[in-house]
Amino acid sequence: GLRSELRSQTIFVEVKTTASPSRNVFQLSLPELQFACKPGVQYHIYRVYGAGGDAARVQVRVVEGLREALEQRSATLCLAI
């Protein structure tokens, strides 16, 4: 991930890519999730669709504050076994 300091607040950015134009499922490790959910941590996820293909078709969706997105149910977690 990337780290950016903006207005004395550190924002951590994780970029998850897929060649698919619509695949919205990706892996998130337990350490990533634990860190993202720490109080005071601003952990953003940038999901890049269509990576490696036609640049005109690339789309990016941003989840600002993973913990907050989970609390507000604008993002969900899945478990695969």
Side-chain angles (χ1 to χ4, degrees):
L2 301 174
R3 179 180 169 165
S4 170
E5 293 190 24
L6 179 65
R7 291 184 231 133
S8 73
Q9 179 184 20
T10 301
I11 299 172
F12 297 89
V13 176
E14 184 69 35
V15 179
K16 302 289 188 178
T17 63
T18 180
S20 167
S22 61
R23 186 165 189 236
N24 63 353
V25 177
F26 56 86
Q27 287 186 310
L28 189 66
S29 70
L30 181 57
E32 287 173 319
L33 179 60
Q34 289 172 326
F35 180 77
C37 290
K38 284 185 178 181
V41 170
Q42 285 297 312
Y43 192 90
H44 298 186
I45 295 180
Y46 282 58
R47 180 59 164 168
V48 180
Y49 298 93
D54 181 3
R57 294 184 177 200
V58 171
Q59 294 182 354
V60 178
R61 181 160 183 215
V62 179
V63 176
E64 293 185 4
L66 179 58
R67 187 185 77 236
E68 293 84 359
L70 292 170
E71 289 171 350
Q72 296 168 3
R73 297 184 179 173
S74 59
T76 59
L77 295 177
C78 297
L79 175 66
I81 55 173

